[in-house]
Amino acid sequence: MNAGPATTAPGVRLMQKVSSTRAFARIAPHFVPAMDRAVHRLTRGRVILSARMLPGVVLTARGAKSGLARTTPLACMPEAGGDTWVLIGSNFGRPGHPAWTGNLLAHPDAEISWQGRDIAVRARLLEGEERAAVWQAALNFWPPYATYQSRIEREIRLFRLERRD
């Protein structure tokens, strides 16, 4: 697993506290993804602003119902070795599962933009003991995930993305 804390950049502890608030959960879903999409597009895939706090990918997956490409900037937890990433479907601690998780369940073959490179991946929903171990790593990586989980009844979905050939 080997995922250490997200980063030691100045302001991380403050951001962890802010991101754990209910106000952040109400506001962030409306501006963080839009801001990340715009900056990612303007920098030709080299920059995701929210990745200053947490590593990030831009996920492109087919819509569960429409089958159309859906692009979503997301925080991720890169794993040791550089060929796998964990996506945490926290939805900022809001009640419903984020739409991208349903898309990956329906269509696990997807693509991510990671550090300016496009990478074909296959997503796998983590369950049981494997999920429990990754969840602990995620809590060490970004402690606010515990707050998100405590506010909701659903279990936060975790996906491991693995490179496809």
Side-chain angles (χ1 to χ4, degrees):
M1 204 86 25
N2 286 353
T7 182
T8 56
V12 170
R13 289 197 195 282
L14 175 62
M15 190 60 203
Q16 288 176 344
K17 287 182 181 182
V18 169
S19 70
S20 294
T21 66
R22 289 183 189 274
F24 185 84
R26 277 192 307 275
I27 297 167
H30 302 290
F31 75 86
V32 172
M35 179 182 61
D36 278 344
R37 265 190 220 94
V39 171
H40 185 260
R41 208 172 17 252
L42 289 170
T43 62
R44 294 188 178 103
R46 292 186 306 273
V47 177
I48 301 173
L49 279 183
S50 63
R52 303 300 296 159
M53 292 293 152
L54 282 169
V57 298
V58 175
L59 172 71
T60 301
R62 290 190 302 147
K65 295 176 185 171
S66 71
L68 300 175
R70 303 292 184 205
T71 301
T72 311
L74 299 167
C76 72
M77 187 174 75
E79 295 185 297
D83 285 339
T84 60
W85 301 261
V86 172
L87 299 181
I88 297 107
S90 68
N91 205 13
F92 299 97
R94 297 182 314 158
H97 290 290
W100 63 263
T101 67
N103 296 344
L104 289 180
L105 289 173
H107 304 287
D109 287 346
E111 186 176 276
I112 58 171
S113 175
W114 167 250
Q115 298 178 338
R117 295 184 324 252
D118 293 332
I119 301 168
V121 294
R122 177 163 292 122
R124 186 170 51 83
L125 179 66
L126 301 181
E127 299 176 300
E129 290 179 20
E130 181 182 28
R131 185 202 180 279
V134 172
W135 179 247
Q136 282 306 307
L139 294 178
N140 291 335
F141 183 71
W142 191 250
Y145 288 136
T147 303
Y148 297 166
Q149 183 62 78
S150 72
R151 286 200 300 248
I152 55 178
E153 293 182 25
R154 68 177 174 87
E155 182 178 73
I156 291 174
R157 291 175 176 163
L158 303 180
F159 288 86
R160 177 168 284 129
L161 304 181
E162 299 170 333
R163 284 182 190 261
R164 280 189 288 137
D165 294 327

